[in-house]
Amino acid sequence: MTTLGSLIVSFFRNYLANQKGFAANTIASYSDCIRLLLSYSCERLGVNFDKLDLDMITDELILDFLDHLEKNRGNAPATRNQRLGAIKTFFRFLALQEPTATAVCERVCAISAKKTEHKVITPLDNTEIKAILGSAQTSTGTLQGARDQALLLTLYNTGARVQELVDAN
């Protein structure tokens, strides 16, 4: 059986980055989730990471971890669901790598997301857009003002997220 550590390394280096082509921020989010899960598992089971085995991480432990996220860490149900999505992705990968773990992987993947209230995002009206454009130092008389104006207009006209604009080369 492959060690848990080598499976985790393969999940992040090969599967998420190369096969799935996930963005660096997504991989970082998944990494944070798996780190939290492993820390919780070690603490709950009373073992060091080097003694943690794949068969010790059960669907019941995952459910306890998800409850821990909400009750002890104060995570909202939407954050809990995002973490669950990362865990399910990891366990789908594990099922492909370790066929003997298929049963627990199926049970983990069967865990339902919590219902959350979906917030409707309404577009800004013209007055709000003008207020945003006017609130920044957008005096085009300066180089910084011209830059700020160009960035804000690019975001508005393209619908891009700030991170997408930052990542653009």
Side-chain angles (χ1 to χ4, degrees):
M1 184 161 158
T2 312
T3 66
L4 182 58
S6 64
L7 288 168
I8 293 169
V9 169
S10 180
F11 175 68
F12 286 104
R13 290 194 180 157
N14 300 326
Y15 185 71
L16 293 183
N18 297 333
Q19 291 181 31
K20 291 292 190 180
F22 282 9
N25 287 344
T26 303
I27 294 172
S29 175
Y30 278 44
S31 175
D32 185 49
C33 174
I34 299 303
R35 180 186 53 77
L36 288 170
L37 173 61
L38 295 174
S39 295
Y40 178 81
S41 299
C42 289
E43 183 180 318
R44 180 115 185 309
L45 299 170
V47 297
N48 291 328
F49 176 74
D50 60 338
K51 302 294 182 197
L52 187 64
D53 201 28
L54 179 57
D55 60 356
M56 296 172 151
I57 303 174
T58 63
D59 52 317
E60 292 88 5
L61 183 66
I62 301 290
L63 286 167
D64 289 344
F65 170 69
L66 294 171
D67 287 341
H68 165 77
L69 290 177
E70 286 187 274
K71 292 175 184 167
N72 299 90
R73 292 184 56 91
N75 290 163
T79 303
R80 174 209 185 267
N81 290 344
Q82 185 275 332
R83 300 286 193 197
L84 176 59
I87 292 167
K88 285 182 176 185
T89 301
F90 180 58
F91 273 81
R92 284 185 197 104
F93 167 79
L94 289 177
L96 295 172
Q97 302 301 311
E98 289 293 328
T100 58
T102 301
V104 72
C105 292
E106 286 177 356
R107 288 192 304 274
V108 168
C109 290
I111 296 172
S112 298
K114 276 197 169 181
K115 290 189 179 194
T116 59
E117 189 174 312
H118 295 284
K119 295 179 184 175
V120 177
I121 299 173
T122 57
L124 301 175
D125 63 33
N126 286 339
T127 307
E128 293 168 321
I129 295 297
K130 287 178 184 175
I132 290 172
L133 292 174
S135 69
Q137 183 183 1
T138 57
S139 168
T140 54
T142 67
L143 189 57
Q144 184 178 359
R147 182 208 61 197
D148 292 349
Q149 183 77 20
L151 289 172
L152 287 170
L153 287 172
T154 300
L155 289 169
Y156 173 70
N157 288 319
T158 64
R161 295 178 293 181
V162 172
Q163 187 62 51
E164 293 170 329
L165 187 59
V166 169
D167 291 342
N169 290 333

